[in-house]
Amino acid sequence: MPPHLDLQLRERIFLWHHIDNIPIPEIAHLACCGVSTVYRIIAQHRPQEAEVGAIAPSATTGRPRILSTGDIDFVSALLEENPTLFLDELQGQL
């Protein structure tokens, strides 16, 4: 299994892509990782100021939701603490 990339390198990959406009293959070379890893990091990156669990206005239409606002806030707080939780680990903490 390849070594995990530290948070600082993950942030640098995101900045190389979005600020410096470096092509993905070159970012993979600079970071010494695979192209698919770079794509995954870019897809998973959430800016710190983004509100976790924010519900878009269009998402409130349709059938009634199963989770209440308090439930969503609790799950959002768990994911904010540890964004890499798997579903089974999340269910264990509920």
Side-chain angles (χ1 to χ4, degrees):
M1 177 180 249
H4 292 283
L5 300 178
D6 65 352
L7 185 59
Q8 188 175 18
L9 181 57
R10 289 172 179 269
E11 290 174 0
R12 179 85 312 231
I13 288 171
F14 182 79
L15 292 175
W16 280 334
H17 179 69
H18 286 288
I19 303 299
D20 300 333
N21 295 320
I22 298 175
I24 300 292
E26 189 175 337
I27 293 173
H29 177 72
L30 290 170
C32 298
C33 64
V35 173
S36 60
T37 301
V38 173
Y39 278 116
R40 183 177 41 79
I41 288 171
I42 291 169
Q44 290 177 347
H45 188 348
R46 287 184 286 171
Q48 296 298 330
E49 63 272 1
E51 186 176 334
V52 176
I55 299 173
S58 62
T60 58
T61 60
R63 65 182 174 92
R65 303 294 177 215
I66 296 173
L67 297 176
S68 69
T69 303
D71 295 335
I72 292 172
D73 290 342
F74 178 74
V75 172
S76 295
L78 286 175
L79 290 174
E80 192 171 301
E81 275 183 27
N82 189 354
T84 59
L85 274 179
F86 288 102
L87 183 59
D88 61 335
E89 296 169 332
L90 181 62
Q91 287 175 334
Q93 293 188 18
L94 295 178

